[in-house]
Amino acid sequence: GYGRDGSRYAENKRAVEEKNMGPTVKTFMTRCIQCTRCVRFVTEVAGVPDIGMISRGEDAEITTYLEKAVDSELSGNVNDLCPVGALTHRPWQFHYRPWELKRTETIDVMDALGSNISAQAKGAEVMRILPRVNEGINEEWLSDKSRYIVDGLQKRRLDKPYVRENGRLRAASWDEALGVVASKLTGTSADRIGVIAGDLQDAESMKATLDLFRALGSANTDCRQDGSALGHGAREGWLFNSGVAGIEQADAILLVGVNPRTEAPLLNARLRKAWLGGKTEIVVIGEQSDLTYDYSYLGAGSKTLSKLPKAAADLLSKAERPAIIVGGGAISGENGASVLNALGVLAKKYGVVNEGWNGFNVLHTAAARVGGLDMGFVPGEGGLSAIEMARPGALDVLFLLGADEIDTSASGAFKIYLGSHGDNGAHGADVILPGAAYTEKAGLYVNTEGRVQMAERVVFPKGEAKDDWAIVRALSERIGQTLPYDNLDQLRTRLMAEHPTFGRIDYLAPPAAFDVAALGTKGDLGDVAFTSAVIDPYLNNPIARASATMAELSALRIAPVAMAAE
């Protein structure tokens, strides 16, 4: 009366065990339809063939080899690609329902590419970050660090001002903290005051800080925590001039002191795409590492640069569109200016910069660096650099604007830290002023190719924290050097009036010729081995160091190296 009492499905039921694909990928393999999108992505785009299909017929499965985690900085993209949910985002599973989230289109600051992202929040917490399509920068991809950094935005946060008393920090009111800072700044000679800007700062906060310290008469201002030799001469001297997308047109590329796989994973994917096309040859001076594509290794450092091997010289001279990509690892330190000059001479000799093509490219690792250089956040006449400011006895008062990647422990100066996380900069500070993280403020960022992009506020700052520029503006009033803007629009108007490039939002200037041979300072190159500016990409800023997911990815990255050493 109620129909059949048994199933008409006579074949064996099929079940597949879950796979261990690492900290970023959670599997539900019974959903898998063997479309092999994930296999194609990691093999062709990421260049790390860690996922494949084994067995045949009804026993066929997608898996990683020997239960190995996917060893790629782009592994999270396979979760976006999976059409059935067999691969999903492990760090976010069961944390939210998608329809509960408020979406905000903004900009990523984990590297200097300025990837376009959609930051999605529930209440006061950013729950997930997904890529937005921008063919000129990140295409439709996003690096794991940019995607899974979200848990670091909640932890180790500075949510109230602190003042050090009898060697210990105690919570204070804004009125008291600003009063202490103001009395120190007004009671100290201008030449004994300095400011260092960090790597994640927006242009508005740097502009307000620069205006304030220039008004005080201090020339000790610097945004180059790594001590690089950039910041003087034509703007093209510190840009990625060919553009992120334009690098695919180069037919010969020389990498100097840079590891694009760790410093800018999405640029590395572009280089792999150009190499796969078969028309681009890549040569390297610096560290030998797996870049996911073949390259010719020339040597370790400055000695190789001073006398380029004949094969590399022939390659560059015969190329129609030769390019040089230089990283911070080559142009930092005592010989940085000499190396930069040698690269400029090399670029001129082989026609790297000519009419209609500019292949001289600086790959920055800090989202704030180009914006700082564009507005002149470098030492004024007679001023000290960041490295010099950190030395013992150099200054009496040191203001750290989100600067966490420079060791100031030896400096005996009174330290003021303005930032969002209780990290390196805050540990030794005498006064802490809680600022906003990049998802908690609207701001302008200039990426490594000189493209100005606007980030939007996703959630509000934590606790009593305020926008960085607003804190500096309030401080200026206490000091008696009130800055001439009362809101963000007025600040941006002044910034764009003094530096017109900031008014060209999302504009990439066409290749412009400049005197590349005039870069840096002519001098002895010495015998220096070039190393990447990024030692561990998952732990190189305060937000990353607060993230449990980044700690897992870092441990996974170090584990194979340790096993090989044993």
Side-chain angles (χ1 to χ4, degrees):
Y2 296 100
R4 294 172 61 102
D5 60 349
S7 169
R8 291 181 291 173
Y9 189 85
E11 306 299 327
N12 293 327
K13 295 279 180 141
R14 178 177 182 270
V16 183
E17 289 185 0
E18 306 304 347
K19 312 300 179 189
N20 175 20
M21 292 192 180
T24 63
V25 183
K26 169 66 178 173
T27 64
F28 295 91
M29 297 310 295
T30 50
R31 300 172 178 172
C32 182
I33 56 171
Q34 286 97 41
C35 69
T36 68
R37 281 186 178 190
C38 55
V39 179
R40 287 197 61 193
F41 175 82
V42 298
T43 305
E44 297 175 23
V45 179
V48 181
D50 283 347
I51 302 179
M53 182 178 284
I54 61 171
S55 300
R56 297 179 181 179
E58 69 176 24
D59 294 325
E61 302 180 21
I62 297 290
T63 182
T64 55
Y65 302 115
L66 303 176
E67 292 290 304
K68 176 182 177 293
V70 181
D71 183 22
S72 171
E73 300 77 21
L74 304 173
S75 64
N77 292 290
V78 300
N79 302 325
D80 290 343
L81 287 169
C82 185
V84 292
L87 307 178
T88 62
H89 304 280
R90 184 183 290 276
W92 309 330
Q93 60 175 337
F94 311 130
H95 285 198
Y96 57 81
R97 300 292 187 192
W99 55 85
E100 297 173 334
L101 303 180
K102 172 194 163 194
R103 294 161 172 78
T104 306
E105 295 186 350
T106 185
I107 303 301
D108 171 61
V109 300
M110 290 300 111
D111 57 32
L113 287 194
S115 299
N116 288 207
I117 58 173
S118 170
Q120 305 181 5
K122 179 182 178 183
E125 183 176 351
V126 179
M127 303 300 292
R128 71 177 181 182
I129 291 175
L130 298 177
R132 286 189 293 128
V133 176
N134 186 319
E135 295 295 343
I137 303 175
N138 57 302
E139 298 176 288
E140 61 266 64
W141 314 125
L142 195 60
S143 69
D144 290 349
K145 182 180 179 184
S146 301
R147 187 189 295 266
Y148 297 118
I149 198 78
V150 288
D151 59 326
L153 291 166
Q154 296 298 118
K155 299 170 184 172
R156 303 183 192 173
R157 292 303 304 270
L158 299 173
D159 58 357
K160 61 183 71 172
Y162 288 87
V163 174
R164 192 174 295 277
E165 193 174 81
N166 300 323
R168 301 191 66 174
L169 288 168
R170 63 167 177 81
S173 66
W174 271 110
D175 186 63
E176 181 186 4
L178 290 174
V180 172
V181 175
S183 65
K184 275 290 178 183
L185 290 175
T186 53
T188 306
S189 173
D191 62 336
R192 303 290 295 173
I193 298 172
V195 57
I196 303 173
D199 293 346
L200 306 181
Q201 291 303 126
D202 55 292
E204 292 89 342
S205 67
M206 288 193 290
K207 175 59 177 169
T209 305
L210 186 62
D211 284 351
L212 175 60
F213 279 79
R214 287 286 187 262
L216 287 171
S218 174
N220 305 317
T221 56
D222 204 354
C223 66
R224 305 164 302 176
Q225 292 185 92
D226 59 356
S228 73
L230 301 168
H232 305 285
R235 183 176 187 245
E236 287 77 15
W238 58 76
L239 296 184
F240 199 94
N241 290 289
S242 65
V244 174
I247 197 64
E248 294 180 35
Q249 300 172 20
D251 47 4
I253 302 174
L254 171 63
L255 304 181
V256 183
V258 63
N259 183 340
R261 186 174 175 187
T262 58
E263 296 178 29
L266 294 170
L267 175 66
N268 198 61
R270 293 268 192 182
L271 295 176
R272 175 176 167 79
K273 187 200 291 189
W275 170 78
L276 280 174
K279 296 180 180 178
T280 304
E281 291 190 56
I282 300 171
V283 291
V284 171
I285 298 176
E287 292 180 311
Q288 273 188 292
S289 57
D290 179 9
L291 297 180
T292 71
Y293 43 80
D294 295 338
Y295 58 85
S296 300
Y297 182 68
L298 304 182
S302 55
K303 273 199 169 181
T304 309
L305 183 61
S306 60
K307 190 176 181 181
L308 212 60
K310 186 178 184 304
D314 290 344
L315 175 66
L316 291 173
S317 60
K318 292 176 183 176
E320 291 183 17
R321 290 181 297 277
I324 295 174
I325 299 178
V326 56
I331 53 177
S332 302
E334 294 181 4
N335 297 324
S338 302
V339 171
L340 184 61
N341 180 259
L343 285 167
V345 172
L346 194 73
K348 186 167 187 176
K349 180 179 178 181
Y350 294 111
V352 172
V353 179
N354 52 51
E355 195 64 37
W357 172 255
N358 188 338
F360 184 82
N361 300 304
V362 178
L363 179 59
H364 293 277
T365 57
R369 188 63 49 80
V370 175
L373 296 176
D374 282 352
M375 71 176 68
F377 207 117
V378 292
E381 188 176 348
L384 302 177
S385 68
I387 303 297
E388 291 168 336
M389 283 189 253
R391 289 173 182 163
L395 297 174
D396 293 334
V397 178
L398 180 58
F399 192 97
L400 301 174
L401 180 65
D404 293 274
E405 310 312 315
I406 184 169
D407 184 8
T408 59
S409 57
S411 171
F414 182 90
K415 290 190 270 295
I416 303 143
Y417 178 77
L418 194 165
S420 61
H421 284 69
D423 202 72
N424 298 337
H427 287 172
D430 295 287
V431 177
I432 295 174
L433 306 175
Y438 73 103
T439 53
E440 298 163 3
K441 58 187 174 184
L444 299 175
Y445 292 90
V446 190
N447 77 347
T448 192
E449 56 185 355
R451 189 193 304 253
V452 181
Q453 298 187 103
M454 190 176 292
E456 299 292 345
R457 172 178 280 157
V458 182
V459 294
F460 285 93
K462 301 290 178 282
E464 298 177 32
K466 310 289 183 187
D467 284 5
D468 298 7
W469 77 268
I471 297 171
V472 176
R473 169 64 175 77
L475 180 60
S476 72
E477 201 169 336
R478 292 294 190 99
I479 295 171
Q481 297 286 352
T482 305
L483 296 174
Y485 29 81
D486 299 324
N487 56 50
L488 190 60
D489 286 342
Q490 292 176 1
L491 171 51
R492 282 180 176 166
T493 300
R494 182 181 175 92
L495 174 64
M496 294 171 186
E498 294 183 7
H499 307 283
T501 55
F502 285 94
R504 301 168 187 165
I505 307 298
D506 203 28
Y507 170 75
L508 181 63
F514 73 109
D515 186 6
V516 68
L519 289 172
T521 309
K522 191 171 183 179
D524 182 22
L525 298 182
D527 185 8
V528 181
F530 299 149
T531 57
S532 172
V534 176
I535 299 171
D536 187 339
Y538 298 117
L539 299 177
N540 71 333
N541 68 54
I543 303 176
R545 287 188 285 269
S547 166
T549 306
M550 293 300 107
E552 288 183 58
L553 288 168
S554 176
L556 193 66
R557 182 175 179 271
I558 293 169
V561 177
M563 289 172 64
E566 290 175 7

